[in-house]
Amino acid sequence: MSIYDDAVFKMACDQFQVIADYLNIDQNHRDRLMMPKRAMAVTLPVHMDDGSTKTFQGYRVQHHLTLGPTKGGTRFAPSLSMGETAALAMWMSWKCALNNLPYGGAKGGVACDVTKLSRSELEAVSRRYMQEMIPFVGPHTDIMGPDMGTNEQVMAWFMDTYSVYQGYAVPEIVTGKPVSIGGTEGRRESTGRGVVYLIERAMDMLKMNPEKCTAIVQGFGNVGSVAALSLSLKSGVKVVGISDHTAALYNPKGIDIKAADAYVATHGVLKGFDKGDRVDAHELLEMKCDVLVPAAVDRVINDTNADKLKCRILAEGANGPTTPEADLLLNKRWDEVFVIPDILCNAGGVIVSYFEWVQGLQSYLWTETEVTDKLFRILEHSFTQIIKRAKADKVSHRTAAMAIGVERVMKAKAARGLFP
Ligand code: NAD
């Protein structure tokens, strides 16, 4: 029994053990690499609009501090637990190391349903969470960013709360802020844009013509909507399926993604958008398409559907969308399904967050074009390394990606030694 007991944490540990076996890591070093450095749980009492006081549970997990401060998003979701937060923090560690960012992984969040909170209640939860975290975070200790259920506005409240306590503006405490308070041009779109850059790279390798390809995107929030918009408007891919937690839609002629985006901007969700046929959300993942982008929650590709996927490219926009059991099935189908693993596929967010942090520390600005160019250069390097390693060692793209990340953390730990 551990404070991290949870199915998602177990999944992250199982994935790590596969890599540790492949890299032949000594048993003495496995737990040191795998277990989080520290974790915080906080209780947040908040005044609700109806005059009552409600308490929410908040978490923050810092996975390792070997390469620099920790970095990671903040998730507001009803089922959030310490174990899930720890799993997400561990994945952030491998993602940062894979992309050569000077960070350990972190993650945090509050167990709450944002759809049931008014704006003032959301602000109160956000500010109280940051206030409770002040002793544990800082621009050189742990830098927060957005994740599911949080956005630029929540980051602005975090930044303001932290700054008020310090007595001066500290924009570098969070990334994913509005540009008006030190956010970076292109950060909001960075994860989705990175997903599409990598899909185009995979298509290029597989000699697929984007204009003859179709895509299905699960999740229509920050990552999913930007990926769908970019696929349809920039790459010329026909997006035939989209979904969120309220609806799943399919249209073989292609869905008007701009209209869907405008609909969600007004209504908050896809429910009621009528430019496609309503289909079962699980079945949508198994429908024929060239590119499948899970960009919502974890473990949606599992042992019940991995052998039924009919896509050529699986681009993992979400964190942990594919279970280790599904990986075993997909590994057998390596010449049918080209997997772009999450720690590469959705790394655009943390890469541009790194730019935003550097810009904040130096009070410096780059243009959106400079930011996007730099982002694509880093993704290109990581993509090439993964493909090379997977080919050379005859391993899956996920194993290659995680191995590069784990090795970098392991080398840094060996170089620094163990104190005392
Ligand atoms: P978001 O809150 O902006 O959007 C989440 C979307 O998923 C919403 O459309 C929601 O309705 C949908 N959703 C929730 N449950 C669903 C379900 N069961 N089936 C279908 N759709 C469902 O979140 P986001 O920032 O877009 O994050 C999505 C995923 O991408 C998460 O796994 C997150 O960890 C990962 N990610 C996000 C970023 C980022 O920069 N935002 C970076 C890296 C990874």
Side-chain angles (χ1 to χ4, degrees), residues 75 95 107 146-149 187 191 218-224 243-245 295-297 317-319 346 349:
R75 181 172 287 196
K95 190 188 301 181
K107 208 78 179 191
D147 192 74
M148 270 180 73
R187 167 60 185 91
T191 309
Q218 182 197 42
F220 208 76
N222 176 304
V223 182
S243 71
D244 71 0
H245 69 284
V297 287
N319 282 310
N346 66 37

Side-chain angles (χ1 to χ4, degrees), residues 218 281-287 292 294 299-311 314 321-323 325-327 329-330 333 337:
Q218 182 197 42
H282 299 289
E283 280 170 21
L284 186 70
L285 299 176
E286 297 169 16
M287 293 174 89
L292 177 63
R299 296 175 295 155
V300 293
I301 314 289
N302 46 50
D303 53 0
T304 66
N305 61 5
D307 53 359
K308 296 185 197 147
L309 300 187
K310 294 180 194 71
C311 57
L314 175 64
T322 306
T323 65
E325 296 77 23
D327 265 337
L329 298 167
L330 290 173
R333 300 182 63 199
V337 182

Side-chain angles (χ1 to χ4, degrees), residues 106-120:
K107 208 78 179 191
V110 179
C112 66
D113 184 347
V114 285
T115 63
K116 299 207 168 97
L117 297 177
S118 68
R119 184 182 160 92
S120 59

